[in-house]
């Protein structure tokens, strides 16, 4: 897997991803402490609103921004996005009002909505061999999981010697280092340049329309919904269940989250071998099939287990949920790469970025609001139903029509799209 880092261009971009993720991890922790200092007992509402703003920026702005910058070279777009993120993070230590948090988070996450899809769509143009690209996807999943494990530890060590406001400087450093690494990298030119182009509306909706025409991508939409359910349960309700339900110390929260991350990392490491042997559909559908019963088990544990007996089942279920979600997420970009042409690659990746985050606008409130109003058990039940709907939709939209799972109708429509693009090129 790590042999793919011999590609110098990808290695520098992977390092840029690592340092940016480290900065984002520090930002998450410092932002929570900032919200508590400003809003006190209402800090949860402040953070909930900030997360909602983040998701709205991802869902609403990402396709528009991608359409606007589609004809620009990728390098200045990535560098500019990193510089905006660094500038917004630098503003956070000086914030004194709640509304200022919302403005800064909106601008910072708008820059992230620019950076992330552009970065993700760039990797297939660098690693053209499918096996190398699969290795890169596994490394990327490992990077996200490691960030979730390492950032809290690093933040705890730093907070022992400095105030939380200084953590924002670590975020600034991460984004600046990412910009420098991108600037040092010779990136390939991707996508058409110059000449007439379709309308802004056409470009903004192109990725979503490709998603709807391709049956495997329609399945991926349903898989996004299924994955959002366990992710919301783990991120939103683990702290409440561990502290109030099981009456365990705060350090055990890190252990529970680490189990979720360990399950995800194990599958990410095994993904290249699993995909070579079984294919995308078998691996992703296995993950989708495991999510509802694991969530059902979590519901039963929350309802029935006592504080003395609920801890070890929780860790086992979180490990299983982490593995199942990783089985779905890690190979997903392979479907995007196969469904897109060079000219539509950025639009398809942006559609996945936007549509997948739209699922969390549904699952996060279910986890938080139902958990607060009716109890954590009923929140887990609601998320189980959501996962069942997503998994069922995935199986419905991605039937076994060919060994690769491809849908002839989708291939025909994609060919029409390619022909239209070629026609535009000839008119130029």
């Amino acid at each position: 897997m790590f042999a793919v880092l011999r590609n110098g261009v990808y290695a520098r971009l992977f390092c840029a991803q690592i340092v940016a993720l480290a900065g984002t991890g520090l930002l998450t922790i410092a932002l929570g402490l900032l919200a508590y200092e400003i809003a006190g007992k209402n800090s949860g509402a402040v953070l909930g609103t900030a997360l909602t703003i983040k998701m709205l920026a991802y869902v609403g702005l990402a396709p528009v921004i991608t359409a606007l910058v589609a004809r620009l070279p990728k390098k200045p777009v990535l560098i500019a996005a990193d510089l905006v993120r660094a500038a917004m993070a630098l503003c956070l230590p000086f914030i004194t009002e709640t509304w200022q948090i919302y403005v800064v988070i909106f601008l910072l996450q708008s820059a992230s909505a620019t950076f992330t899809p552009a970065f993700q769509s760039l990797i297939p143009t660098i690693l053209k061999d499918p096996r190398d690209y699969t290795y890169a996807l596994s490394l990327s999943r490992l990077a996200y999981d490691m960030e979730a494990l390492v950032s809290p530890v690093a933040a705890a060590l730093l907070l022992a010697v400095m105030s939380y406001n200084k953590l924002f400087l670590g975020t600034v450093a991460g984004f600046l280092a990412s910009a420098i690494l991108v600037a040092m990298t010779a990136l390939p030119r991707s996508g058409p340049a110059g000449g007439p182009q379709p309308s802004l509306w056409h470009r903004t909706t192109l990725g979503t329309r490709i998603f709807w025409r391709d049956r495997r991508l329609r399945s991926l939409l349903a898989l996004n919904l299924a994955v959002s359910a366990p992710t919301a349960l783990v991120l939103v309700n683990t702290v409440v269940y561990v502290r109030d339900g099981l009456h365990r110390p705060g350090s055990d929260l890190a252990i529970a989250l680490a189990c979720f991350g360990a399950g995800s990392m194990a599958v990410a490491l095994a993904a290249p071998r699993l995909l070579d042997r079984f294919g995308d559909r078998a691996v992703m559908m296995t993950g989708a099939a495991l999510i509802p019963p694991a969530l059902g088990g979590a519901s039963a544990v929350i309802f029935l287990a006592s504080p003395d007996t609920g801890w070890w089942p929780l860790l086992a279920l979180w490990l299983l949920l982490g593995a199942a979600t990783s089985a779905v997420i890690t190979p997903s970009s392979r479907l995007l790469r196969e469904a897109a042409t060079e000219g539509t690659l950025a639009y398809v990746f942006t559609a996945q970025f936007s549509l997948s985050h739209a699922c969390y606008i549904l699952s996060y409130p279910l986890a938080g609001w139902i958990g607060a109003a009716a109890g954590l058990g009923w929140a887990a039940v609601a998320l189980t139903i959501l996962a069942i709907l997503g998994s069922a939709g995935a199986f419905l939209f991605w039937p076994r029509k060919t060994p690769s799972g491809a849908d002839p109708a989708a291939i025909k429509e994609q060919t029409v799209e390619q022909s239209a693009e070629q026609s535009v090129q000839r008119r130029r």
Side-chain angles (χ1 to χ4, degrees):
M1 183 188 301
F2 292 97
V4 73
L5 295 175
R6 294 187 189 129
N7 184 311
V9 174
Y10 173 71
R12 282 189 287 275
L13 289 178
F14 183 67
C15 289
Q17 181 186 23
I18 292 291
V19 295
L21 282 174
T24 302
L26 295 178
L27 171 68
T28 301
I29 295 165
L31 186 62
L33 296 172
L34 173 64
Y36 185 78
E37 181 175 291
I38 292 176
K41 64 181 181 180
N42 294 321
S43 59
V46 172
L47 285 175
T49 303
L51 284 173
T52 302
I53 290 172
K54 171 183 175 179
M55 293 301 165
L56 291 175
Y58 283 179
V59 173
L61 289 183
V64 178
I65 294 173
T66 297
L68 290 172
V69 304
R71 298 305 176 99
L72 299 178
K74 286 285 177 65
K75 180 182 284 190
V77 170
L78 294 174
I79 293 173
D82 266 336
L83 293 178
V84 171
R85 295 198 291 182
M88 292 302 101
L90 191 59
C91 293
L92 286 167
F94 306 102
I95 282 178
T96 58
E97 301 290 340
T98 300
W99 68 267
Q100 295 170 345
I101 294 179
Y102 300 152
V103 172
V104 171
I105 290 300
F106 176 77
L107 294 175
L108 190 152
Q109 300 303 339
S110 296
S112 292
T114 304
F115 182 93
T116 303
F119 179 91
Q120 291 174 339
S121 66
L122 188 61
I123 304 303
T125 67
I126 297 168
L127 301 174
K128 296 185 179 294
D129 182 84
R131 189 172 181 82
D132 287 342
Y133 185 56
T134 301
Y135 288 146
L137 295 177
S138 295
L139 283 175
S140 179
R141 186 71 247 159
L142 285 173
Y144 279 102
D145 293 332
M146 286 300 297
E147 182 273 322
L149 296 175
V150 172
S151 289
V153 177
L157 294 174
L158 291 172
L159 287 170
V161 296
M162 64 178 64
S163 67
Y164 76 87
N165 275 330
K166 299 284 179 50
L167 294 183
F168 291 122
L169 298 180
T171 300
V172 174
F175 291 145
L176 289 179
S178 174
I180 291 170
L181 285 167
V182 172
M184 294 170 54
T185 306
L187 300 181
R189 188 189 184 100
S190 60
Q197 55 181 317
S199 67
L200 177 62
W201 174 254
H202 176 89
R203 287 176 283 134
T204 300
T205 60
L206 178 58
T208 302
R209 287 185 279 114
I210 292 174
F211 255 78
W212 189 247
R213 288 199 298 264
D214 190 305
R215 295 196 69 169
R216 289 187 300 167
L217 294 189
R218 289 209 298 272
S219 176
L220 182 56
L221 285 176
L223 289 170
N224 290 333
L225 185 65
V227 164
S228 73
T231 305
L233 180 68
V234 170
L235 295 184
V236 175
N237 288 339
T238 300
V239 61
V240 182
Y241 184 59
V242 169
R243 297 306 305 273
D244 293 344
L246 300 178
H247 307 298
R248 302 187 72 89
S251 58
D252 283 353
L253 170 62
I255 295 174
L257 294 177
C259 283
F260 183 80
S264 178
M265 291 172 66
V267 171
L269 285 168
R273 294 189 298 275
L274 292 174
L275 293 169
D276 279 347
R277 182 171 182 180
F278 300 108
D280 296 337
R281 187 184 190 278
V283 172
M284 297 176 74
M285 291 305 179
T286 299
L290 288 173
I291 289 173
L295 283 174
S299 304
V301 167
I302 293 172
F303 274 123
L304 303 175
S306 68
D308 294 330
T309 61
W311 174 241
W312 293 108
L314 173 75
L315 296 185
L317 288 166
W318 263 222
L319 187 73
L320 179 59
L321 286 172
T325 56
S326 185
V328 175
I329 294 172
T330 303
S332 60
S333 291
R334 287 161 52 106
L335 305 186
L336 305 179
R337 180 183 183 178
E338 293 171 6
T341 66
E342 183 179 352
T344 62
L345 200 61
Y347 299 107
V348 172
F349 272 84
T350 301
Q352 165 65 1
F353 180 80
S354 178
L355 294 170
S356 62
H357 283 92
C359 297
Y360 291 99
I361 296 178
L362 178 61
S363 63
Y364 279 151
L366 280 178
W369 296 347
I370 295 179
L376 299 182
W378 290 111
V381 169
L383 291 170
T384 302
I385 295 171
L386 187 68
I388 291 172
L389 294 175
S391 297
F395 279 93
L396 176 65
F397 287 129
W398 194 352
R400 292 180 178 274
K401 289 203 170 184
T402 69
S404 64
D407 179 21
I411 294 173
K412 179 179 179 180
E413 289 182 296
Q414 183 67 20
T415 303
V416 172
E417 183 75 35
Q418 294 174 6
S419 300
E421 291 178 3
Q422 294 169 359
S423 177
V424 171
Q425 292 286 342
R426 287 196 296 269
R427 286 199 299 271
R428 292 175 187 167

